[in-house]
Amino acid sequence: MRPEGAVPWPDDLARAYREAGCWRDRPLGSLPWEWARARGERVAVVDGEHRLTYRDLALRSDALAERLAGLGFAAGDTVLLQLPNRWEFVVVTLACLRLGVVPVMMLPAHREHELASIGAHVGAKALVVPDDWRGYDHQELAHRVADTLPGPARVLVVGEKVRPGGVDVRALMRPDGDVERRRRWLDERAPDPGDVAVFLLSGGTTGVPKVIGRTHNDYEYNFRRCAEVCGFDASTVYLAVLPAAHNFALASPGVLGALHAGGRVVLLPSPRPEAVFAAVEAERVTATSAVPAVVLKWVEAAGDGGHDLSSLRHVHVGGSVLSPEVAARIGPALGCRLQQVYGMAEGLICYTPADAPDEVAHTTQGSPVSPYDELLVVGPDGRPVPPGEPGELLTRGPYTPRGYFGVPAQNAVSFTPDGWYRTGDLVRITPEGHVVVCGRVKDLINRAGEKVSAGEIETLVQEMPEVAEAAAVAMPDPEVGERVCLFVRVRPGHTLTLDDVAGSLTARGVAAFKIPERLEVLDELPHTPIGKPDKKRLLDLLGLLAVRGR
Ligand code: J2J
């Protein structure tokens, strides 16, 4: 069942993408058996001491899928999936895909604010959470959120300490019973490959939740093409350190791309250099992906030596701007090749070739992974700029859906009438066809690859009684690229500190990565001629304050 509110491709293009072999009309949930038939006893997923073969994956995801059906879940239902990088993440995701239940890929850092608004928007029927994680009680959070949702929602818990009222997911995965009968039963109920398989969150979700429905067909093409461009095969050992729920680590090529290619996936819940280097050495990792802030830490720590990183062939770096200087240090420090990637949960992915000359790998973000990706660079008037000039990138293609889920008014802004997605990124395209990201026109803060919508923060802060007006801007930062800086005008007779803001947002369940890290209180905010806060002038002011050493 197609969740209502998803925006499909036009019929003629859908036909063309099928004829071209982009869309193969196979539901993603059928892949684990396809993989298991070819390479059943090989290890597919490693998580610490846990090692799952391809056959284990198929058996466990089938068992869970059938028992989810027994609990009343059916194709087209949505569930909020909030799990860290552990083996259960893979099984739960595959089980949902098998049954046609659509997982919404929440991040472990999300809290009540995000879970409740997205859950209400998609009509979530369940939350899947760890019992606790990094000292935080996700079970309690999930029950609280479930109570706020308009319809009944179950709490499914992965862990030892399942409390009354929650469902023990690990117990549902036990691969006992009649395997063949279960497989046939699930095959008969396989979802339509043109339907939405997963919901991804858009970087910089505004007040309006921007959720992207990726179909079985388009997402399979996404990770298959990325895997091809990255040279993934049966010898690949892919290390996932970024949250596996993020499109980058999930499918670009990430976890799904590595499994599809017959490789092995190693899951690590932390990008700390020590843990990463130990995993690379122990599992002979060949490829991994990271945002620039993380790879910089690896480069700095690699000099200490002590670990054998010789198995590493490629590191994929993207999500935010990578400076050419840091890019040039990656290969020598880690003993591998750099592939830059410019991607987005909305679709388009660009990669520098696996064997690109340094010039290309260090200074560009590569070219689209599909020959059917369309790119258009436009000026402020919406017209194409001359070749090589910078402008906003618009894109369409076989894995770039035509709209967000259930927000027609937002879609009229984010997409052109003829289906181009407005990326909000300023790019130029080199004569060789490589994209270079040179800025953005969208109003967000990119903190170590985590996108924070300025508008969302402003709305939340303006709800504080002390605040008359607020503007959030991206403060440049050597460590994480950008941090959220908040400018405010307070109401007469009030004062405001950074702690007040942090306290208020945290109390309202806003994810920690969105909390402003600097506050400037002004008597007046500068405005543009149409009366919006003038962010360019605020950024200039920030520069001046920095020069004055504040
Ligand atoms: C500058 N900005 C970049 C880059 C993304 C692979 C890799 C990344 C993402 C991702 C992804 C950038 N240089 N190399 O989904 O599959 C910024 C742009 C873009 C936005 C998308 C993937 N790579 N960006 O980051 O949906 O602004 O996806 O529009 O989180 O990140 O963010 P997101």
Side-chain angles (χ1 to χ4, degrees), residues 164-378:
V167 177
D168 181 350
V169 178
R170 281 195 191 145
L172 302 186
M173 289 176 182
R174 270 184 218 126
D176 45 0
D178 185 342
V179 172
E180 282 309 312
R181 185 204 50 76
R182 178 180 294 146
R183 174 158 56 165
R184 279 194 304 276
W185 191 85
L186 287 164
D187 280 346
E188 281 159 19
R189 280 156 191 78
D192 184 321
D195 286 353
V196 170
V198 297
F199 275 132
L200 302 178
L201 301 190
S202 167
T205 282
T206 47
V208 188
K210 288 197 275 182
V211 174
I212 307 138
R214 303 293 302 263
T215 66
H216 294 261
N217 271 332
D218 98 67
Y219 217 39
E220 190 268 345
Y221 183 55
N222 187 116
F223 58 73
R224 172 162 42 95
R225 267 311 291 156
C226 286
E228 284 166 3
V229 167
C230 294
F232 276 19
D233 59 22
S235 72
T236 297
V237 182
Y238 173 75
L239 176 66
V241 290
L242 297 175
H246 191 281
N247 187 44
F248 189 5
L250 182 61
S252 308
V255 171
L256 294 174
L259 293 174
H260 210 28
R264 191 191 314 156
V265 168
V266 181
L267 294 163
L268 202 64
S270 153
R272 274 187 311 105
E274 181 55 29
V276 168
F277 295 166
V280 169
E281 179 170 354
E283 296 295 335
R284 306 296 296 157
V285 167
T286 62
T288 185
S289 36
V291 294
V294 164
V295 88
L296 180 59
K297 290 224 160 65
W298 296 351
V299 166
E300 283 165 354
D304 305 343
H307 282 290
D308 174 8
L309 306 181
S310 60
S311 58
L312 205 54
R313 296 179 213 148
H314 287 101
V315 52
H316 314 145
V317 181
S320 62
V321 173
L322 176 68
S323 75
E325 295 71 41
V326 175
R329 290 167 63 193
I330 294 173
L334 302 177
C336 66
R337 292 202 67 81
L338 160 69
Q339 280 186 272
Q340 288 208 48
V341 45
Y342 162 61
M344 57 204 71
E346 282 81 358
L348 176 71
I349 309 228
C350 299
Y351 256 102
T352 56
D355 56 357
D358 284 352
E359 170 68 13
V360 171
H362 295 176
T363 63
T364 85
Q365 283 68 56
S367 49
V369 297
S370 167
Y372 303 97
D373 282 320
E374 299 176 73
L375 273 60
L376 193 63
V377 184
V378 301

Side-chain angles (χ1 to χ4, degrees), residues 4 36 41 53 88 97 113 130 146 187 218 270 289 335 371 376 400 431 437-438 443 449 466 484 489 492 504:
E4 268 175 51
E41 298 316 318
T53 64
E88 295 93 340
L97 296 173
H113 170 70
D187 280 346
D218 98 67
S270 153
S289 36
L376 193 63
T400 303
V437 181
C438 18
D443 198 7
E466 301 89 342
V484 182
R489 175 166 62 85
S504 166

